[in-house]
Short mmCIF file of all heavy atoms in Angstrom, two decimals:
data_model
loop_
_atom_site.label_atom_id
_atom_site.label_comp_id
_atom_site.label_asym_id
_atom_site.label_seq_id
_atom_site.Cartn_x
_atom_site.Cartn_y
_atom_site.Cartn_z
N ARG A 304 -11.07 -1.00 9.68
CA ARG A 304 -11.90 -0.12 8.84
C ARG A 304 -13.29 -0.69 8.53
O ARG A 304 -14.28 0.03 8.64
CB ARG A 304 -11.17 0.23 7.54
CG ARG A 304 -9.81 0.95 7.77
CD ARG A 304 -9.27 1.60 6.50
NE ARG A 304 -10.09 2.72 6.11
CZ ARG A 304 -10.98 2.68 5.16
NH1 ARG A 304 -11.13 1.61 4.43
NH2 ARG A 304 -11.70 3.74 4.89
N PRO A 305 -13.41 -1.98 8.15
CA PRO A 305 -14.77 -2.49 7.87
C PRO A 305 -15.66 -2.43 9.11
O PRO A 305 -16.83 -2.04 9.02
CB PRO A 305 -14.52 -3.94 7.42
CG PRO A 305 -13.13 -3.90 6.87
CD PRO A 305 -12.37 -2.96 7.75
N ALA A 306 -15.13 -2.78 10.28
CA ALA A 306 -15.95 -2.78 11.50
C ALA A 306 -16.32 -1.36 11.92
O ALA A 306 -17.42 -1.11 12.40
CB ALA A 306 -15.20 -3.48 12.63
N LEU A 307 -15.40 -0.42 11.71
CA LEU A 307 -15.60 0.93 12.23
C LEU A 307 -16.36 1.85 11.26
O LEU A 307 -17.15 2.69 11.68
CB LEU A 307 -14.23 1.53 12.57
CG LEU A 307 -14.18 2.80 13.40
CD1 LEU A 307 -14.93 2.64 14.71
CD2 LEU A 307 -12.73 3.18 13.69
N TYR A 308 -16.08 1.71 9.97
CA TYR A 308 -16.69 2.64 9.00
C TYR A 308 -17.52 1.91 7.94
O TYR A 308 -17.82 2.49 6.89
CB TYR A 308 -15.61 3.41 8.22
CG TYR A 308 -14.49 3.96 9.05
CD1 TYR A 308 -13.20 3.42 8.93
CD2 TYR A 308 -14.68 5.02 9.92
CE1 TYR A 308 -12.15 3.93 9.67
CE2 TYR A 308 -13.63 5.52 10.66
CZ TYR A 308 -12.37 4.98 10.54
OH TYR A 308 -11.33 5.47 11.27
N GLN A 309 -17.82 0.64 8.18
CA GLN A 309 -18.51 -0.17 7.15
C GLN A 309 -17.74 -0.08 5.83
O GLN A 309 -18.32 -0.07 4.74
CB GLN A 309 -19.96 0.28 6.92
CG GLN A 309 -20.87 0.16 8.13
CD GLN A 309 -20.69 1.27 9.15
OE1 GLN A 309 -20.66 2.44 8.80
NE2 GLN A 309 -20.55 0.92 10.42
N ALA A 310 -16.42 0.02 5.92
CA ALA A 310 -15.60 0.15 4.71
C ALA A 310 -15.52 -1.19 4.00
O ALA A 310 -15.54 -2.24 4.64
CB ALA A 310 -14.19 0.60 5.09
N SER A 311 -15.44 -1.11 2.67
CA SER A 311 -15.35 -2.35 1.91
C SER A 311 -13.99 -2.40 1.20
O SER A 311 -13.61 -1.45 0.52
CB SER A 311 -16.53 -2.37 0.95
OG SER A 311 -16.24 -3.12 -0.16
N HIS A 312 -13.27 -3.48 1.41
CA HIS A 312 -11.97 -3.68 0.75
C HIS A 312 -12.10 -4.86 -0.20
O HIS A 312 -12.74 -5.86 0.13
CB HIS A 312 -10.89 -4.02 1.79
CG HIS A 312 -10.48 -2.86 2.64
ND1 HIS A 312 -9.24 -2.27 2.54
CD2 HIS A 312 -11.14 -2.17 3.59
CE1 HIS A 312 -9.17 -1.27 3.40
NE2 HIS A 312 -10.30 -1.18 4.05
N SER A 313 -11.45 -4.74 -1.34
CA SER A 313 -11.47 -5.86 -2.28
C SER A 313 -10.67 -7.03 -1.68
O SER A 313 -9.62 -6.83 -1.07
CB SER A 313 -10.88 -5.36 -3.59
OG SER A 313 -10.41 -6.42 -4.33
N ILE A 314 -11.21 -8.24 -1.86
CA ILE A 314 -10.60 -9.42 -1.23
C ILE A 314 -10.31 -10.46 -2.32
O ILE A 314 -11.15 -10.72 -3.17
CB ILE A 314 -11.57 -10.02 -0.17
CG1 ILE A 314 -11.77 -9.00 0.96
CG2 ILE A 314 -11.07 -11.36 0.35
CD1 ILE A 314 -12.82 -9.40 1.99
N LYS A 315 -9.11 -11.02 -2.26
CA LYS A 315 -8.72 -12.01 -3.28
C LYS A 315 -8.22 -13.28 -2.64
O LYS A 315 -7.48 -13.20 -1.64
CB LYS A 315 -7.55 -11.43 -4.10
CG LYS A 315 -7.97 -10.44 -5.12
CD LYS A 315 -7.08 -10.60 -6.32
CE LYS A 315 -7.78 -10.12 -7.54
NZ LYS A 315 -6.93 -9.21 -8.29
N ASN A 316 -8.61 -14.41 -3.21
CA ASN A 316 -7.98 -15.67 -2.80
C ASN A 316 -6.77 -15.86 -3.72
O ASN A 316 -6.90 -15.98 -4.94
CB ASN A 316 -8.98 -16.82 -2.96
CG ASN A 316 -8.40 -18.12 -2.42
OD1 ASN A 316 -7.20 -18.37 -2.51
ND2 ASN A 316 -9.27 -18.94 -1.85
N LEU A 317 -5.57 -15.85 -3.15
CA LEU A 317 -4.35 -15.86 -3.96
C LEU A 317 -3.94 -17.28 -4.36
O LEU A 317 -3.14 -17.45 -5.27
CB LEU A 317 -3.20 -15.22 -3.19
CG LEU A 317 -3.35 -13.75 -2.79
CD1 LEU A 317 -2.14 -13.28 -1.98
CD2 LEU A 317 -3.51 -12.86 -4.02
N THR A 318 -4.46 -18.31 -3.68
CA THR A 318 -3.93 -19.65 -3.91
C THR A 318 -4.95 -20.65 -4.45
O THR A 318 -4.56 -21.72 -4.91
CB THR A 318 -3.33 -20.22 -2.60
OG1 THR A 318 -4.27 -20.00 -1.55
CG2 THR A 318 -2.02 -19.55 -2.27
N SER A 319 -6.24 -20.31 -4.42
CA SER A 319 -7.23 -21.29 -4.87
C SER A 319 -7.09 -21.53 -6.37
O SER A 319 -6.92 -20.59 -7.15
CB SER A 319 -8.64 -20.79 -4.57
OG SER A 319 -9.58 -21.66 -5.16
N THR A 320 -7.17 -22.79 -6.77
CA THR A 320 -7.13 -23.10 -8.20
C THR A 320 -8.50 -23.62 -8.64
O THR A 320 -8.66 -24.09 -9.76
CB THR A 320 -6.05 -24.18 -8.49
OG1 THR A 320 -6.26 -25.24 -7.56
CG2 THR A 320 -4.64 -23.62 -8.35
N SER A 321 -9.46 -23.52 -7.74
CA SER A 321 -10.79 -24.06 -8.01
C SER A 321 -11.48 -23.32 -9.17
O SER A 321 -11.35 -22.11 -9.31
CB SER A 321 -11.63 -23.94 -6.75
OG SER A 321 -12.95 -24.30 -7.05
N LYS A 322 -12.21 -24.08 -9.96
CA LYS A 322 -12.94 -23.48 -11.09
C LYS A 322 -14.35 -23.06 -10.65
O LYS A 322 -15.07 -22.40 -11.38
CB LYS A 322 -13.06 -24.48 -12.25
CG LYS A 322 -11.72 -24.92 -12.83
CD LYS A 322 -11.26 -23.98 -13.93
CE LYS A 322 -9.87 -24.31 -14.45
NZ LYS A 322 -8.76 -23.99 -13.53
N THR A 323 -14.75 -23.52 -9.48
CA THR A 323 -16.10 -23.17 -9.01
C THR A 323 -16.02 -21.98 -8.05
O THR A 323 -14.97 -21.69 -7.49
CB THR A 323 -16.74 -24.36 -8.26
OG1 THR A 323 -15.87 -24.70 -7.19
CG2 THR A 323 -16.94 -25.54 -9.17
N THR A 324 -17.18 -21.31 -7.90
CA THR A 324 -17.23 -20.19 -6.96
C THR A 324 -18.31 -20.44 -5.91
O THR A 324 -19.23 -21.22 -6.14
CB THR A 324 -17.53 -18.87 -7.68
OG1 THR A 324 -18.75 -19.02 -8.40
CG2 THR A 324 -16.43 -18.44 -8.61
#
Side-chain angles (χ1 to χ4, degrees):
R304 301 194 68 259
L307 193 55
Y308 316 111
Q309 298 78 47
S311 153
H312 287 249
S313 157
I314 295 174
K315 281 215 155 131
N316 185 326
L317 298 178
T318 47
S319 173
T320 49
S321 173
K322 299 272 175 288
T323 57
T324 56

